[in-house]
Amino acid sequence: AELPWAPPESPQPPVPLSQARAQLEEDHYAMDKVKQRILEFLAVCHLRGDTKGSILCMLGPPGIGKTSLGKSVAAALGRPFHRVSVGGIHSEAEVRGHRRTYVGALPGLILQAVKKCGAANCVIMLDEVDKLGRNSYNGDPSSALLEVLDPEQNGAFRDHFLAVPFNLSQVLFIATANEMEGIPRPLRDRMEVIELTGYTVDDKVAIAARHLLPKQVALHGLSPGQLSLGEEELDHLISGYTREAGVRELERKLGALCRAIAANVSEAGEAA
């Protein structure tokens, strides 16, 4: 009874395409081809008025912004967003739900996400879809996801706990993965893959200066004047201490610098 059985009567209007472009440019540095593909997708959604038949898969190494891109798509469409981690799922019941004859039965992860969003036209991100469990005695979760992601079938998705069909055709599903080989072929055929490559050193320098360093400075209670790094210092830090496609390790190194400065500032304040 608490599920949203129909789309809202007065849905939030989608963000204009020019505003979505400006938001993507502000939130994500580089990745021009990926942002252009997302804008094309949003333009089609605006013209059609729905997202039926569209399932995107963000493919790329860890730490390059796949989840934040999904959040940007949801914000541009004016829809609620929820992330579901499907990595390591070994049971079909986690997707389809448990039958109510079992003690502690629960709906599947998909219907739980729809309930938390409170809207039948939400955006659900299926994170780490390439790490689904296989060869399980409790059913194949990737086969259960086929019905969820197939536009011709998900209009009458049947959860074992709910025991009645539920319309998932208004939900926009966005998947993320690190490697193409880990995605089962039938599941791969139902998704449009958008490949995200790693950042160059110049990209990381710009990202650190624009986003990561101000974030870590504020997080550690410092003022902008207490820690400032130029392009040469950031280039040396990235080239000598980070060897990754994304920026997670770089953010950790910047956090370590901020902690060291915070310790010096605290000791100097106590001495005074």
Side-chain angles (χ1 to χ4, degrees):
E2 299 178 3
L3 286 170
W5 293 93
E9 296 181 359
S10 56
Q12 183 178 349
V15 174
L17 207 60
S18 58
Q19 187 175 342
R21 184 188 298 273
Q23 189 67 35
L24 283 173
E25 291 293 340
E26 181 181 350
D27 294 344
H28 306 281
Y29 186 81
M31 297 192 295
D32 294 331
K33 291 183 179 180
V34 176
K35 289 187 286 190
Q36 182 60 33
R37 177 63 191 90
I38 290 176
L39 288 170
E40 293 170 357
F41 169 77
L42 294 175
V44 173
C45 294
H46 287 186
L47 292 175
R48 288 180 51 185
D50 62 19
T51 59
K52 186 175 182 180
S54 303
I55 296 158
L56 302 177
C57 179
M58 308 284 185
L59 179 70
I64 59 173
K66 297 186 290 295
T67 302
S68 59
L69 277 171
K71 292 180 180 178
S72 299
V73 171
L77 291 173
R79 299 185 179 189
F81 174 85
H82 188 79
R83 187 185 73 90
V84 176
S85 179
V86 297
I89 288 180
H90 288 277
S91 173
E92 177 195 7
E94 295 194 54
V95 178
R96 291 186 182 273
H98 301 80
R99 290 180 173 85
R100 288 191 235 184
T101 53
Y102 294 102
V103 176
L106 288 171
L109 292 173
I110 304 301
L111 284 193
Q112 288 185 41
V114 173
K115 179 184 175 183
K116 289 177 181 177
C117 288
N121 62 344
C122 57
V123 177
I124 295 179
M125 171 162 280
L126 303 175
D127 211 3
E128 309 292 354
V129 76
D130 58 327
K131 298 176 180 62
L132 282 168
R134 299 186 184 179
N135 303 323
S136 172
Y137 293 106
N138 299 318
D140 187 2
S142 63
S143 299
L145 278 178
L146 294 179
E147 182 182 357
V148 173
L149 298 180
D150 195 334
E152 303 299 326
Q153 301 180 41
N154 62 9
F157 174 72
R158 184 179 290 271
D159 187 279
H160 290 160
F161 184 85
L162 196 63
V164 294
F166 186 85
N167 186 6
L168 292 176
S169 62
Q170 298 296 322
V171 177
L172 171 61
F173 291 99
I174 301 177
T176 69
N178 298 133
E179 297 178 356
M180 180 68 75
E181 291 75 14
I183 307 175
R185 184 172 294 276
L187 202 59
R188 193 188 316 168
D189 291 339
R190 285 164 170 78
M191 300 185 294
E192 179 181 352
V193 177
I194 300 177
E195 293 191 18
L196 288 78
T197 57
Y199 295 114
T200 64
V201 174
D202 292 337
D203 292 340
K204 290 182 180 181
V205 169
I207 292 170
R210 290 173 52 178
H211 301 287
L212 301 182
L213 185 58
K215 174 185 173 182
Q216 290 297 322
V217 167
L219 191 64
H220 290 82
L222 301 174
S223 62
Q226 291 175 321
L227 176 61
S228 61
L229 297 176
E231 290 188 4
E232 293 185 5
E233 291 83 1
L234 289 173
D235 191 306
H236 177 72
L237 175 65
I238 292 166
S239 301
Y241 296 93
T242 63
R243 300 285 183 182
E244 56 171 355
V247 293
R248 286 179 181 163
E249 183 64 25
L250 173 59
E251 188 170 9
R252 284 191 286 267
K253 296 299 183 184
L254 290 173
L257 285 175
C258 290
R259 288 193 298 273
I261 297 297
N264 292 337
V265 170
S266 297
E267 290 177 359
E270 292 174 358

